[in-house]
Every structure is written in structure tokens, then in C-alpha cells.
Amino acid sequence: MDKIIKTSKTIRAILKVLFWVVAVVSVVILAAILVALFMKGGTALDGGFSITLGNYSLLLSQEYSSQQLTPLYFMTFANVALFGTLSCYIIRVLLNVFEPMSQGKPFSTTISVALKKLAYAILIMGIISFVLQIATNLIFYNVFDIPSLFNADRVESCSISIVSDGSFIIWFFILRLVGHIFKYGETLQQLSDETL
């Protein structure tokens, strides 16, 4: 039991630091995006703009104004805001999971509830990630006019393919199963306490 308490306290300390790191980094990035978004006139970048297509990184010679990049800024803002918020929420839920464990109560009634919340948060994060990936790719495709980057004599067509590993669905079911196991442990612990 001492090992569980010690490990849980260590994990909670790490999660508390991680929470503030994620929160601060997200706010700084969002502030930088807002500054770039409301920059008027001129070019957004003096040099070229670098984009990655699969394993290839392309440095574009064309200069882009902040107005041309506005859809990209909005999408980046949405990505950072949603993932920053969901990441902070997931860390808070994990803190609630390890709180009773750090007090020597591994089968507290709050753990199964927290695991259920965690499972649904990961499922929602995975779905949102997939939708934002589609939207971001479409914006990149239109803003940078991807087909125009290729030699028309050699490339007949250009299309987007979206790939999602779907691991968030597996994690959802694993966490739900672990939640049910903890719920069963909580019931046994309650019966044991009543017997005593």
C-alpha cells in the first residue's frame, strides 16, 4: 500500500506541473495567433512559407499576407484552444483518479466516476481531432493552392487523404472496462467495511 501511495503522490505532483505547463503554453500560443490574426497589411512572412506534404517539406517562394493566412490562423486557434482545454480537463480528471490513491484509498467511489469521465473525454478528443484534421487539410489545400505546386505536365491530379488510427476508440473501451473493474472493487470494499 505504501508503494501505491508514494507512486500516486509522485504522479499527482507531475500532473500538477503538467497542467500549468499545458495551460500557459496554450495561452501563449493563442495570444501569438491573435496578434498574427489582427496584424493589418504587409506580408505575414518576409521569407518563404514552409509546408510539409507527407515526408517532404516545401519552402514556398511566394510571400503571403496575413489576410491570405486568416483561415489558417483561425483553424490553428481552434486546434490549440480545443486541445489545450481538453488536455487540461483530462489532466484534472487524472488528478481526481490519483487523489484517493495518494491517501491510501485505491477503491474510493470517486475513481470509477473519474475513469468514466476520462474515457468520454478521450473519445470526444479523438473525434474532434479527426474533424479538425479534415478541416485543417482542406484549408491548407485551398490557401496554398496545393495542385499549383506541382508541374502540370507531370502531375495529372492532386487529392487529400485523411488517415486516423482510431486508437482513441480502443482507449475509450479500455478505460470503460477499467472503470467497471474499479466499480466492482468499490462495491467489495463497501461490503467489507459494512461487515467490519
Side-chain angles (χ1 to χ4, degrees):
M1 184 61 79
D2 289 341
K3 192 175 280 188
I4 292 173
I5 293 171
K6 187 177 178 182
T7 305
S8 298
K9 284 181 178 177
T10 304
I11 292 171
R12 274 182 55 79
I14 293 168
L15 287 172
K16 284 179 182 178
V17 172
L18 185 61
F19 175 85
W20 287 109
V21 168
V22 170
V24 169
V25 168
S26 296
V27 168
V28 168
I29 292 172
L30 290 174
I33 293 169
L34 286 175
V35 168
L37 190 59
F38 293 109
M39 233 175 24
K40 301 292 181 190
T43 57
L45 293 169
D46 295 330
F49 198 93
S50 177
I51 62 171
T52 302
L53 301 174
N55 293 326
Y56 300 95
S57 291
L58 307 176
L59 184 61
L60 307 182
S61 57
Q62 178 183 345
E63 292 179 345
Y64 293 89
S65 69
S66 57
Q67 185 179 8
Q68 289 172 300
L69 296 175
T70 296
L72 192 58
Y73 288 140
F74 274 120
M75 187 51 60
T76 305
F77 187 90
N79 273 294
V80 174
L82 285 167
F83 282 106
T85 303
L86 281 170
S87 296
C88 286
Y89 177 76
I90 287 171
I91 293 169
R92 296 296 293 174
V93 172
L94 285 170
L95 284 167
N96 290 338
V97 169
F98 289 104
E99 170 67 25
M101 289 184 183
S102 66
Q103 297 172 357
K105 302 173 186 173
F107 291 109
S108 171
T109 55
T110 59
I111 293 177
S112 64
V113 174
L115 286 171
K116 183 178 179 180
K117 288 179 183 177
L118 183 62
Y120 281 104
I122 287 175
L123 182 66
I124 290 167
M125 194 171 189
I127 292 168
I128 290 174
S129 171
F130 182 67
V131 171
L132 287 178
Q133 183 185 1
I134 293 170
T136 303
N137 281 327
L138 288 172
I139 287 172
F140 260 94
Y141 189 85
N142 292 318
V143 167
F144 298 111
D145 191 16
I146 301 298
S148 70
L149 302 178
F150 301 101
N151 185 339
D153 296 332
R154 300 186 66 187
V155 177
E156 186 175 314
S157 67
C158 180
S159 61
I160 303 172
S161 58
I162 309 296
V163 179
S164 178
D165 63 359
S167 62
F168 63 92
I169 296 171
I170 296 168
W171 279 108
F172 170 77
F173 286 113
I174 289 172
L175 286 169
R176 291 297 288 138
L177 177 64
V178 172
H180 287 301
I181 292 168
F182 269 88
K183 183 73 175 170
Y184 181 68
E186 291 164 12
T187 303
L188 291 178
Q189 182 68 51
Q190 188 177 0
L191 290 172
S192 174
D193 292 344
E194 287 172 0
T195 304
L196 293 174

